[in-house]
């Protein structure tokens, strides 16, 4: 039966993504979804499970709209039973450990609903990667980013800020600010006012994602949900921060800020207090990538993309408009590791003109008062395909 | 009866501020007030309620001292009953939602005391804005600042550090360090040692204040109680911090430090890691104001007040003694947007000489090795009254 | 009997350090020690108690290995009873408050074991200060540092990172990441997923150490366990951080980063966002000491050791290779407060050549584009022994 259903997905629209979530609803406004917690997400995969879920929705009276870019429905006991039935006893029995995670979700829901049925579970399908329209689909996309199902900057999150609600977060639980207002007097006098840890539209990465064994995040406030951290990444608690849709693609030491849309490649080092500007803060909308093995010194500011094997000295700012002196000799050496760079020599280059180049050491010459660039001693592995 | 009492406030001294608080007492030293949590504060308002409260205190045997700058007394069941009686059934019935908040406080206390009477409620009056003398009056003032009842830098907090006790904070609860010491062995061996989140004399803003809907504070540790945040303010979790008696007067993006006594106006942007020096850290005691629409670049340091529409480039430091070069041409342009500035032209100005001027772009010229200032392209709205 | 035992320690090997800890074990892997919490540690002291402990272990069938650099054994009810018996009724009765803390530990354990015996208590001895081999001995050394039993940089922590396990920390409790993975679906759907505050191998200072009354730590994430804070130290929550085996030796205002192995002396001020480079981040392995009364300006970077009474201006970077101009006049003045400095005059000095010198003011001259050094106006108290 399951096999037939799997084939039947072709009758429906294949979802780009789907999953079942527990949602937190407003304390005052019970119709408001404040957060969606997914135990398992599916991104361009597991179409068999999608077929079972869609068929079970239809069979339990839900009209699934395949025309819209996304679809959200409540999860009912009837739906859970129907879907488990379609999967069949054998698969259900096998669904433990790393196997058949979508079925494991149903099994736990069956347990829960056998006790009492709740109204705070939802199933969400994304059919097209357009602007998200629901809290459930925003979260599904943030999961895809943070669980490394999709590359950074590859999916559409436009308008996410408008969809999410600003909440007071008490641990992993979002609370409506209006609820606190309505109950402030009683909560405070009865010593029951909650410990609000932050007020934001987004939750934190660690409230939803279990990092790889060799990832360290020394303070949960430093990584927003929707950020992506590759194995081997360490985020220190000083001045660091990684925004959503930003992060690392390999082992990186992060002691500075990786602003929205910025990406840092393997082996790079973001020094203490170093700032990588984001698309919302001074880069004219060009997202910044920091190349492999590149070092950003303590309290440096980087406003242009950097290639592999660069060094930005501590305390300096390399922005799009920064005028940087290069000697003829060093200009030639830089060309050697950037064969695709067709510039003519001139004394001063603007930061933007050096964007993305490999193997440059940026330094402020404290004897001449000039910002200078020269060939760094860091290794640069040239991309074979370019030669 | 209530009306008569309201008139009778003139017989007493009108309080500048008053409120009823639940206090946290020392775990070892039960006479020590560690924190005062006010569900409602009154600042130069609601004198009718003040009259009822004062009259009820007197009637229940409390000698109210009107000669001192402040007065604190325990709240008893008798006091609560007497005050509710003075307010009268009609007002008491009306006191729900946004109406008659002081009466709501009494109603909740009546509920509590009907079960059991507690000794950790206090009523506090401030008659004069002199140095605070009690934990209760310090907190009343911090509430006035953080709830935007008074402008920043407008009230007297001298000596507050001497009044408050240094505590270990577990959630919203202050714990005496001596209590932890006395019980360390038992708490640790029995797996009951509390999670201490910070050790300070001041609590955090979010432990006492419900921010406006469009305020975001991504990490509660970043805003001390006594700070003031205008609607539209966002405080990021990287390197930011807002101290008490400091904050914003309009929508501001805060990714840097607003030190004690610093004020940032609407539309300004405090870049990632930017430092605004405080009165305790290098400004010779002159508090700094950052004007409207002014941009402080990432990792910049600002040690002088800035007017509207200024830009401080990323990574530079503009201090009182910094020597800044201005061309004659730009000098004239700066004068245009600062008609009240009577300076004569010279090549180099010290930072302090440019304090408070509008429309200046501060930049470090990386070809000449000079700090320069010129007319920024940011809009400056000249104060009409000055023309 | 106790006296005899005390003498008998000479028969055994005197431990450098010892203590009894409650350990947190893995949720999945019950043999894995994730954390060791010591109510009391002994460092080169209390050899009488050591003798009792060793004797009691041997008597209860434990083979103590004195040949290895450290020894760890489970604490049993029998051990506790035996040890209490050796101490004798009189000492046991006296053991309250500040007296006989090791006996207090046994008394609390007796209480606990009288209810039920647990397998998560350990006794740990360190006989030699070599690379630690167990979680228990790493923690014992971190306690020694954080409780100021030993100076910073004085003990061997090589390999500690390899011994400790990376955990998800929920309050003071470490949780195996694998446990979260194995239970993610159920925890998330049943609304029981814990609030993970950080993921690291090390816990936080405040989870283990009660600071002195005049120490303030405004955010627990800012100080790693193994850091050392002298009385009078304040750690602000902006961009600050103190790593393990780093810290302060006197009253210091910390608003910046004190990286691993860096030490800051009394009266110094680490300005907002200031970075002191660590042995792992750009100092070629030379640990940095910041002298008494020295001021590091906001967003400055210091990559060399500094003597007493120095000033590093806000926003500048003084690194080993930074070229710094000194006038002949100022060179002489600097020599006056550094009589042991045998340098010959030259125009430019590298940062490393000025390492450790007293009374230098580092400034960037914004008119000439030069980094300059001159005699600071800060007081320098010359070390008497050098004259």
């Amino acid at each position: 039966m399951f096999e037939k259903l799997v084939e039947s997905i072709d009758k429906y629209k294949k979802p780009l993504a789907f999953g079942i979530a527990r949602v937190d609803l407003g304390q005052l406004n019970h119709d408001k979804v404040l957060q969606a917690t997914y135990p398992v997400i599916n991104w361009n995969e597991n179409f068999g499970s999608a077929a079972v879920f869609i068929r079970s929705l239809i069979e339990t009276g839900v009209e699934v709209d395949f025309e819209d870019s996304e679809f959200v429905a409540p999860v009912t006991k009837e739906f859970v039973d129907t879907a488990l039935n379609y999967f069949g006893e054998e698969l259900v029995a096998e669904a433990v450990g790393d196997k058949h995670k979508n079925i494991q979700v149903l099994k736990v829901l069956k347990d829960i609903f056998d006790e009492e049925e709740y109204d705070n579970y939802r199933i969400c399908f994304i059919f097209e990667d357009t602007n998200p329209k629901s809290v459930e689909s925003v979260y599904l996309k943030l999961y895809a980013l943070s669980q490394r199902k999709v590359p950074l900057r590859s999916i559409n999150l436009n308008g996410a800020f408008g969809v999410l609600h600003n909440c007071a977060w008490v641990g992993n639980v979002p609370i409506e600010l209006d609820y606190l207002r309505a109950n402030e007097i009683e909560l405070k006098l009865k010593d029951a006012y909650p410990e609000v840890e932050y007020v934001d539209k987004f939750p934190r990465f660690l409230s939803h994602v279990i990092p790889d064994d060799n990832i360290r995040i020394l303070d949960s406030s430093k990584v927003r949900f929707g950020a992506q951290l590759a194995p081997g990444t360490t985020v220190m608690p000083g001045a660091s921060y990684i925004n959503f849709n930003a992060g690392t693609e390999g082992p990186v030491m992060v002691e500075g800020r990786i602003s929205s849309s910025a990406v840092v490649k393997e082996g790079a080092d973001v020094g203490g207090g170093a700032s990588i500007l984001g698309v919302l803060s001074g880069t004219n909308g060009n997202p910044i990538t920091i190349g492999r093995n590149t070092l950003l010194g303590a309290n440096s500011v980087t406003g242009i993309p950097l290639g592999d094997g660069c060094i930005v000295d501590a305390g300096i700012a390399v922005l799009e408009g920064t005028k940087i002196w290069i000697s003829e000799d060093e200009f030639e050496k830089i060309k050697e590791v950037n064969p695709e760079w067709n510039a003519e020599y001139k004394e001063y280059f603007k930061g933007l003109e050096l964007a993305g180049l490999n193997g440059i050491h940026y330094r402020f010459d404290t004897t001449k008062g000039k910002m200078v660039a020269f060939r760094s001693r860091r290794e640069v592995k040239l991309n074979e395909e370019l030669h």
Side-chain angles (χ1 to χ4, degrees), chain A:
Chain A
M1 187 140 77
F2 175 64
E3 282 69 22
K4 276 196 187 156
L5 267 176
V6 171
E7 288 160 23
S8 77
I9 185 72
D10 296 326
K11 292 197 307 186
Y12 316 124
K13 200 171 179 180
K14 263 191 186 170
L16 173 65
F18 68 97
I20 289 175
R22 184 182 54 72
V23 294
D24 291 289
L25 303 171
Q27 290 75 23
L28 287 183
N29 191 340
H30 199 68
D31 293 334
K32 217 184 203 172
V33 173
L34 303 182
Q35 180 178 227
T37 300
Y38 288 87
V40 174
I41 73 152
N42 305 273
W43 195 273
N44 226 337
E45 63 189 327
N46 300 329
F47 298 110
S49 293
V52 170
F53 286 170
I54 289 171
R55 175 68 181 263
S56 302
L57 281 173
I58 292 171
E59 206 164 304
T60 57
V62 178
E63 242 176 273
V64 181
D65 179 358
F66 295 102
E67 300 309 307
D68 207 347
S69 57
E70 60 181 74
F71 180 76
V72 178
V75 169
T76 62
K77 186 173 188 328
E78 214 188 338
F79 164 84
V80 171
D81 290 340
T82 307
L84 280 171
N85 196 38
Y86 274 122
F87 279 115
E89 274 181 33
E90 199 176 328
L91 287 181
V92 170
E94 277 174 29
V96 287
D98 283 335
K99 279 194 111 175
H100 312 321
K101 293 231 167 186
N102 284 306
I103 302 178
Q104 290 185 44
V105 169
L106 293 176
K107 284 165 80 175
V108 174
L109 282 173
K110 191 172 163 52
D111 269 10
I112 293 171
F113 287 175
D114 277 353
E115 296 280 319
E116 187 184 335
E117 195 164 352
Y118 295 92
D119 67 347
N120 63 329
Y121 296 92
R122 300 280 185 280
I123 183 162
C124 174
F125 297 89
I126 295 177
F127 293 110
E128 259 181 284
D129 182 21
T130 55
N131 294 9
K133 295 173 177 175
S134 63
V135 172
E136 289 89 342
S137 70
V138 170
Y139 272 75
L140 191 43
K141 288 184 165 185
L142 296 174
Y143 268 96
L145 284 165
S146 286
Q147 294 186 339
R148 302 202 308 276
K149 297 267 186 182
V150 298
L152 287 165
R153 303 193 297 227
S154 70
I155 57 174
N156 187 338
L157 281 163
N158 295 335
F161 272 97
V163 172
L164 301 178
H165 306 289
N166 199 33
C167 300
W169 295 83
V170 178
N172 295 337
V173 181
I175 295 186
E176 286 174 297
L177 292 164
D178 270 342
Y179 170 83
L180 291 180
R181 279 180 205 114
N183 296 281
E184 181 176 9
I185 293 172
E186 191 157 351
L187 290 171
K188 281 186 167 177
L189 288 174
K190 292 189 173 168
D191 199 6
Y193 193 81
E195 186 198 356
V196 177
E197 290 165 59
Y198 58 108
V199 175
D200 192 16
K201 295 191 162 197
F202 287 74
R204 293 172 174 174
F205 180 91
L206 283 177
S207 294
H208 289 274
V209 181
I210 305 167
D212 281 54
D213 280 332
N214 57 351
I215 286 177
R216 282 181 253 156
I217 299 172
L218 275 71
D219 180 4
S220 68
S221 75
K222 295 301 192 180
V223 187
R224 224 180 196 176
F225 187 38
Q228 187 172 109
L229 275 67
T233 296
T234 294
V235 183
M236 298 296 282
S240 61
Y241 182 54
I242 306 182
N243 212 328
F244 76 99
N245 205 18
T248 66
E249 292 187 346
V252 174
M253 170 57 77
V254 183
E255 302 196 60
R257 286 170 296 282
I258 304 180
S259 305
S260 186
S261 294
V263 175
V264 182
K265 292 194 175 178
E266 62 267 28
D269 189 321
V270 182
S275 259
I276 303 170
L277 299 189
V279 289
L280 305 170
S281 52
T283 65
N284 293 323
N286 303 317
I288 293 184
T289 300
I290 302 298
R292 288 169 293 174
N293 209 24
T294 280
L295 168 67
L296 309 182
N299 288 343
S300 64
V301 180
T302 300
I304 60 166
L306 298 178
D308 297 345
C310 293
I311 298 174
V312 177
D313 270 7
I316 72 172
V318 178
L319 308 175
E320 292 191 348
T322 306
K323 286 172 196 146
I324 302 162
W325 184 82
I326 304 182
S327 75
E328 267 200 83
D329 194 35
E330 293 294 333
F331 175 77
E332 292 306 328
K333 289 187 197 161
I334 290 168
K335 283 202 105 170
E336 269 172 44
V337 284
N338 295 283
E340 73 285 13
W341 190 43
N342 294 313
E344 296 292 310
Y345 180 69
K346 54 182 178 178
E347 267 198 289
Y348 286 99
F349 291 82
K350 284 204 168 184
L352 195 54
E353 296 175 282
L354 306 176
L357 296 185
N358 302 309
I360 299 189
H361 190 143
Y362 295 92
R363 167 166 289 174
F364 187 78
D365 182 326
T366 58
T367 66
K368 300 197 186 106
K370 279 186 200 320
M371 186 75 79
V372 301
F374 52 92
R375 176 69 178 90
S376 76
R377 289 185 201 145
R378 291 219 147 193
E379 195 188 358
V380 175
K381 284 181 188 142
L382 283 177
N383 189 329
E384 294 286 301
E385 291 170 31
L386 288 170
H387 299 274

